[in-house]
Amino acid sequence: MTARIIDGKAFAAGLRERVAKVAAEFEEKAGRKAGLAVVLVGEDPASQVYVRSKGKATIAAGMESFEHRMPESTSQELLLAKVDELNADPSVDGILVQLPLPKHLDEQAVVDRISPAKDVDGLTPVSTGQLALGQAGLVPCTPLGSLMLLKDQLGDLSGMDAVVIGRSILVGKPMAQLLLDANATVTIAHSRTKNLPEVVGRADIVVAAVGRAEMVKADWLKEGATVIDVGINRLSPEPGAEKGRLVGDVDFAGASQKAGAITPVPGGVGPMTIAVLLRNTVVAAHRREGMEVLGGL
Ligand code: NDP
């Protein structure tokens, strides 16, 4: 069997278009643009790239982008004061503090300070609680984007066996919760799981969010399973090459001969993350203004 390749890039482009339409309608009704504030502390090169592309995508979707760059030496107190300022700013609908923060800062305390109404990353205790309770809150972008791809491929997920590998607050746990809400039967596997290949072999849906290059092998998979590969890992460079290849947590070459459908890396889940961030921002803007969100978001 040769798997269908799930084109996350194309799906994300469609989602960004829908977001842009809804953002334009929001601007007309509210008399202002929806706004996303991104806070970057320090000089981490990967974070700088992410923040730049988030800013560009926000503007392309017709929303306001506010970038706040703070030096590496920023104190906890100053960073919390910045979050307070953004919480109080009426033109800001979403706040994202780019992680990881420099070591001397307490990440969870900073995230906890973000107003839940503006928590477009879905990481505050209130957002996490709302997801557990099945209440309408803001859901972490990568798992929500992964769920969108799954529903687009499979339609109704009721009764399907899903295995999520990874239990982080950012990906694994919210992913499992979303699949449960979609009526899948969910197993969460992690580093202490016994006989992982056998656990994965029962699944109609496999979501790999581990951070270990090509760990999930083709012979672990049930024939025809749908595979969402969240992992982003850079291999060591081949001789003569400057940079190593990017690969996921799944052995793509092998798995694409056994799975029914699979996301590639890059071009699968990755592009969904920013598209869902824009979606969350425009949704937060509507809720803050007491407006109903339309447009199938
Ligand atoms: P974390 O490191 O926070 O979590 C990794 C999880 O994998 C942990 O729960 C860990 O288990 C589990 N794990 C580690 N080793 C094994 C193993 N041998 N067998 C089974 N489970 C194992 O990572 P994140 O959740 O933040 O990210 C996961 C991956 O997704 C990374 O590659 C990251 O780069 C990528 N990512 C991609 C995004 C995108 O936009 N596409 C966005 C966010 C992340 P335990 O809890 O027991 O330690």
Side-chain angles (χ1 to χ4, degrees):
M1 173 168 214
T2 306
R4 219 168 31 251
I5 308 302
I6 303 173
D7 188 347
K9 211 170 155 188
F11 191 94
L15 177 58
R16 284 207 308 268
E17 260 175 45
R18 296 202 298 280
V19 169
K21 225 171 134 223
V22 173
E25 286 159 12
F26 174 83
E27 186 178 355
E28 213 177 289
K29 286 190 223 149
R32 67 172 183 89
K33 288 184 187 220
L36 172 65
V38 179
V39 181
L40 173 62
V41 183
E43 307 290 329
D44 180 64
S47 293
Q48 291 195 9
V49 173
Y50 292 142
V51 166
R52 212 173 309 129
S53 53
K54 283 170 188 169
K56 270 197 200 156
T58 306
I59 292 164
M63 300 193 274
E64 201 98 61
S65 163
F66 308 101
E67 255 180 55
H68 296 266
R69 287 169 185 264
M70 303 177 82
E72 181 87 25
S73 59
T74 301
S75 67
Q76 181 81 6
E77 213 182 350
L78 261 179
L79 181 54
L80 291 176
K82 174 60 76 186
V83 173
D84 288 343
E85 176 196 315
L86 297 172
N87 282 339
D89 184 340
S91 58
V92 171
D93 297 293
I95 303 171
L96 185 152
V97 177
Q98 184 65 45
L99 304 178
L101 289 172
K103 293 257 175 310
H104 66 281
L105 296 168
D106 178 350
E107 235 166 58
Q108 194 56 48
V110 173
V111 169
D112 288 1
R113 194 72 158 240
I114 296 171
S115 160
K118 300 187 177 187
D119 177 24
V120 285
D121 245 354
L123 295 176
T124 61
V126 171
S127 302
T128 310
Q130 283 173 321
L131 180 58
L133 291 167
Q135 294 175 354
L138 290 162
V139 177
C141 304
T142 304
L144 183 54
S146 302
L147 184 80
M148 287 177 182
L149 293 178
L150 280 169
K151 284 192 167 166
D152 182 55
Q153 289 296 315
L154 299 169
D156 186 6
L157 309 184
S158 283
M160 291 191 178
D161 282 315
V163 170
V164 179
I165 319 174
R167 54 174 165 179
S168 71
I169 303 293
L170 189 63
V171 190
K173 279 186 189 165
M175 186 74 240
Q177 194 72 55
L178 287 169
L179 286 163
L180 192 59
D181 286 349
N183 298 317
T185 303
V186 185
T187 302
I188 308 177
H190 46 78
S191 66
R192 312 286 175 88
T193 297
K194 278 187 252 166
N195 207 350
L196 187 58
E198 193 186 295
V199 172
V200 170
R202 293 197 291 264
D204 306 305
I205 295 169
V206 179
V207 180
V210 183
R212 292 173 80 103
E214 301 175 324
M215 181 186 86
V216 177
K217 304 296 178 203
D219 62 6
W220 297 15
L221 300 172
K222 179 168 158 179
E223 185 88 38
T226 301
V227 179
I228 301 289
D229 190 352
V230 180
I232 303 178
N233 312 287
R234 196 172 284 284
L235 297 179
S236 349
E238 308 267 328
E242 202 182 305
K243 270 187 179 175
R245 235 169 11 102
L246 277 187
V247 297
D249 291 341
V250 179
D251 169 21
F252 182 82
S256 54
Q257 299 305 310
K258 183 94 181 272
I262 185 167
T263 56
V265 177
V269 174
M272 290 302 291
T273 300
I274 290 188
V276 175
L277 174 67
L278 304 175
R279 179 254 177 215
N280 280 356
T281 304
V282 83
V283 167
H286 279 77
R287 290 192 186 141
R288 290 186 59 241
E289 297 287 351
M291 286 159 52
E292 197 187 342
V293 195
L294 302 168
L297 294 183

